[in-house]
């Protein structure tokens, strides 16, 4: 089965939001990975933009779709996204429930690093983990892969 990556628009935002239980602002943007029949299988909702950062909310129903989506999302965030006259942001943030071990493992594999733990955000004993991926980390990884 073939997957394509495209801008998700409002449909992509709604798809991710319906799977993560979050609300998004009118400034939210999305990137999705779709099967060849157009069905969304993975998406990233990008919201809470600042001059140098954006928050990522992630949902996936297929590991294959997710692997296809990641490089495109990172390229968009760090090189192509426009914020005023600036192109790309320097920091991608991900906040993940502390009990979502699969998401934490994936984020670590994708290059995110631990930044902070907020205690009991989702109830007693369930923390929110804040992770970051910085543009310079991503660029050095891309350069390493290009050289290989």
């Amino acid at each position: 089965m073939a997957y394509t990556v495209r801008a998700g628009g409002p449909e992509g935002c709604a798809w991710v939001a319906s799977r993560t239980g979050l609300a998004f602002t009118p400034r939210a943007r999305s990137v999705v990975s779709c099967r060849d029949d157009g069905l969304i299988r993975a998406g990233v909702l990008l919201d809470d933009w600042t001059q140098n950062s954006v928050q990522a909310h992630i949902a996936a129903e297929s590991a294959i779709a997710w692997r296809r989506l990641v490089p495109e999302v990172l390229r968009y965030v760090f090189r192509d996204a426009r914020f005023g006259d600036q192109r790309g942001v320097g920091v991608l943030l991900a906040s993940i429930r502390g009990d979502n071990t699969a998401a934490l493992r994936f984020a670590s594999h994708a290059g995110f690093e631990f930044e902070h733990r907020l205690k009991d955000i989702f109830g007693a004993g369930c923390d929110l983990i804040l992770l970051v991926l910085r543009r310079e980390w991503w660029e050095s990884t891309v350069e390493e892969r290009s050289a290989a």
Side-chain angles (χ1 to χ4, degrees):
M1 172 129 342
Y3 286 89
T4 59
V5 175
R6 63 172 173 82
E11 174 193 19
C13 290
W15 189 90
V16 174
S18 72
R19 284 151 179 83
T20 59
L22 62 90
F24 55 92
T25 72
R27 294 184 351 165
R29 300 175 193 165
S30 66
V31 182
V32 297
S33 181
C34 301
R35 290 193 321 204
D36 49 7
D37 63 4
L39 185 65
I40 297 173
R41 298 290 290 169
V44 175
L45 188 152
L46 301 164
D47 204 359
D48 300 322
W49 296 81
T50 71
Q51 186 173 354
N52 195 45
S53 70
V54 65
Q55 172 83 25
H57 304 282
I58 302 162
E61 294 179 352
S62 161
I64 295 168
W66 178 242
R67 284 192 296 272
R68 176 72 177 96
L69 182 62
V70 170
E72 299 296 329
V73 168
L74 296 179
R75 185 177 306 109
Y76 172 74
V77 165
F78 292 128
R79 290 194 179 153
D80 300 332
R82 292 185 182 271
F83 188 84
D85 60 356
Q86 178 178 318
R87 195 162 191 158
V89 298
V91 180
L92 180 59
L93 304 166
S95 54
I96 301 174
R97 285 178 61 111
D99 61 356
N100 189 342
T101 56
L104 289 167
R105 188 172 45 253
F106 169 78
S108 175
H109 180 69
F112 283 84
E113 292 192 3
F114 175 84
E115 183 76 14
H116 193 73
R117 176 184 298 269
L118 299 170
K119 297 283 189 184
D120 303 326
I121 294 297
F122 295 103
C126 191
D127 304 339
L128 179 132
I129 310 299
L130 180 63
L131 304 169
V132 298
L133 180 58
R134 298 186 179 280
R135 180 184 0 216
E136 59 268 20
W137 302 342
W138 173 75
E139 287 173 340
S140 67
T141 303
V142 169
E143 289 170 7
E144 287 173 12
R145 289 183 185 152
S146 297

